[in-house]
Amino acid sequence: MTTGPVAAPLTLACVCAAVVYTVGAARLRRRGDAWPWRRDCVFAAGCAAVVWGLAGPVPGGPFTAHTGRHLLTAMAGPALLAVARPLTLVLRLLPPGRPRRGLLRVAHSPAAGGLLFPPVAAAVDVGGLWLLYRTDLWEAAHRHALLGGLLELHMLLAGLLFAMAVCRLDPVRGRCGLPLRAVTLLAAGAAHAVLAKSLYLSGPPGTAFAAADLRAGAQLMYYGGDAVEVFLALVLAVQWYAATGRRRARQAARDAVPAGAR
Amino acid sequence: MSTSDPLAGTAAARHPEPRRSLLVCALVGAAVMAGVDEIVFHQLLHWHHFYDRSTSGVALVSDGLLHTAELLALVAGLFLFADLRRRGALVPGHAWSGAFLGAGVFQVFDGIVDHKVLRVHQVRYGVDVTPYDWAWNLAGLALLVIGGVLLARARRAGGRRPS
């Protein structure tokens, strides 16, 4: 297993988060809130993906296995977690008081707004990946276990930041239109695809992976990235479809009222 | 068209939009053609190579952008199509013509810009590629011609229809 020192605490945190989410959602439903079951399932699936990537068995050579783990903990898992609207759930559960006010203050702070500005979130996420694979960072992370662990944590959080910034399902600071989010997804996806193709030819500096392993890993990164990207694109498309339908229904309702009756 | 459409009967609904039908289906057609290229030639036949050693940096970036754009176009196109149907604005003749035109534009673009100008990868390796290039681009041209004929027919039919 190639997992670092943060794997065990992170796994524990994921299990706790899944339990808290499920119990919290059940409490919301008991008091009469509409909280679809599919969100519970999506959140549990996200936690499972992260845990699998951190501690589960992953097939393939060393580089392919690393890519698979990265795909699970830093891309698929965070995307699923973001879609389950964890912040909305917590804000609904917390009673009015200091913790809720504090959380809202953080969510609405300029720093959070800046980080959740889609291009910034994309730069943090994909930029970090470029640094990892195209500088000596990879080698350093494999020599110093703590650095490797911190990187793993960074990748998970950056993935979550990116998914939240693109999907905008939770109440955070600043509104952001669909075009900017879609273009950010396009740019991030392209940067990811280019990095994957370049890894096909040459691995991270200071490493000597077998060519077959490197190629399998690069292709897994390329097509796995596609899958997560399509998932995020579907989230955006559903948002647009629903919002357009609501707007038209409102317009139709207004048009149905005779002009004199307004 | 669904009969449970909440907008049915309102003044805004059932207003055909031929231009939008054409553009949306062109987007879907191009994305589907790109998907066929990826699945048939990359994955099933293994004719195209994932990475060609003669690929330049510019070609790599353009390929990454195009590949991502194809995926997003497929999702966006299908939802725009669903929206057209929901409003009863879809014009089938223009939609079919758009699908063929989009597929043809993608095929010719892929055949000329990606394969020949940027040299991202070739149609097939280890053989004389010339007949493959001709077949590739003529297939694209055929799609464009079909799309053009369908568009002309759709326009004639649209002109005859009392509005």
Side-chain angles (χ1 to χ4, degrees):
Chain A
M1 212 147 59
T2 57
T3 47
V6 297
L10 260 183
T11 303
L12 191 66
C14 278
V15 173
C16 289
V19 170
V20 167
Y21 189 102
T22 313
V23 170
R27 189 189 283 177
L28 278 188
R29 275 190 284 266
R30 259 204 312 281
R31 88 176 182 200
D33 283 30
W35 194 267
W37 275 101
R38 61 169 187 273
R39 286 190 199 151
D40 298 41
C41 299
V42 165
F43 193 84
C47 289
V50 172
V51 169
W52 183 13
L54 286 172
V58 181
F63 186 71
T64 311
H66 162 83
T67 311
R69 286 188 193 287
H70 173 82
L71 209 56
L72 287 164
T73 44
M75 295 181 71
L80 289 166
L81 294 179
V83 168
R85 311 182 190 207
L87 182 61
T88 308
L89 180 94
V90 173
L91 285 175
R92 283 218 207 160
L93 281 170
L94 284 176
R98 264 170 89 85
R100 190 173 189 283
R101 274 205 307 277
L103 187 60
L104 266 178
R105 202 172 301 138
V106 171
H108 292 168
S109 66
L115 276 174
L116 282 162
F117 183 59
V120 174
V124 169
D125 193 22
V126 188
L129 205 58
W130 272 85
L131 285 181
L132 176 62
Y133 290 139
R134 285 289 165 245
T135 64
D136 295 329
L137 193 56
W138 171 288
E139 218 202 348
H142 283 76
R143 259 187 286 119
H144 308 287
L146 188 63
L147 181 63
L150 285 177
L151 262 174
E152 222 163 347
L153 186 63
H154 166 83
M155 286 297 175
L156 168 62
L157 293 178
L160 199 56
L161 181 74
F162 177 69
M164 283 178 85
V166 166
C167 296
R168 290 269 150 176
L169 290 164
D170 275 323
V172 289
R173 183 195 177 93
R175 294 191 164 271
C176 189
L178 188 70
L180 179 63
R181 293 187 282 140
V183 168
T184 303
L185 183 60
L186 172 67
H192 191 267
V194 169
L195 183 58
K197 280 219 169 167
S198 85
L199 282 168
Y200 187 82
L201 199 63
S202 62
T207 60
F209 292 110
D213 182 25
L214 201 58
R215 287 178 182 181
Q219 293 198 50
L220 179 62
M221 178 176 171
Y222 189 79
Y223 292 112
D226 284 359
V228 176
E229 207 166 90
V230 165
F231 175 74
L232 292 175
L234 281 172
V235 172
L236 295 191
V238 168
Q239 281 176 2
W240 172 83
Y241 193 77
T244 313
R246 279 198 298 273
R247 201 173 56 236
R248 282 217 199 87
R250 271 200 304 275
Q251 184 70 43
R254 266 202 299 275
D255 291 349
V257 179
R262 266 179 215 163
Chain B
M1 263 162 248
S2 89
T3 47
S4 60
D5 190 337
L7 299 182
T10 62
R14 305 282 174 257
H15 181 67
E17 296 181 28
R19 205 180 137 77
R20 196 177 162 93
S21 298
L22 182 102
L23 290 174
V24 165
C25 287
L27 198 65
V28 176
V32 166
M33 201 65 220
V36 168
D37 176 65
E38 190 73 42
I39 293 166
V40 175
F41 292 97
H42 282 271
Q43 300 300 327
L44 296 182
L45 293 176
H46 290 289
W47 279 9
H48 292 3
H49 284 185
F50 183 72
Y51 191 109
D52 183 329
R53 274 171 193 277
S54 63
T55 310
S56 67
V58 176
L60 209 56
V61 171
S62 98
D63 180 61
L65 262 177
L66 188 68
H67 178 74
T68 311
E70 288 156 19
L71 293 173
L72 298 190
L74 185 63
V75 174
L78 289 178
F79 276 79
L80 286 165
F81 182 80
D83 182 56
L84 277 173
R85 286 208 52 172
R86 162 169 84 172
R87 289 187 287 139
L90 187 74
V91 185
H94 286 78
W96 278 112
S97 139
F100 277 98
L101 286 174
V105 166
F106 177 83
Q107 181 82 352
V108 171
F109 179 88
D110 196 34
I112 292 177
V113 177
D114 282 344
H115 296 170
K116 295 295 120 190
V117 178
L118 291 172
R119 308 190 71 84
V120 176
H121 54 68
Q122 298 303 313
V123 179
R124 197 172 181 183
Y125 292 83
V127 291
D128 177 17
V129 81
T130 313
Y132 289 92
D133 278 333
W134 275 101
W136 190 273
N137 289 314
L138 285 176
L141 204 60
L143 288 169
L144 284 176
V145 169
I146 294 171
V149 170
L150 285 176
L151 180 60
R153 272 179 51 182
R155 282 206 170 136
R156 267 207 309 280
R160 271 207 307 276
R161 194 171 50 206
S163 56

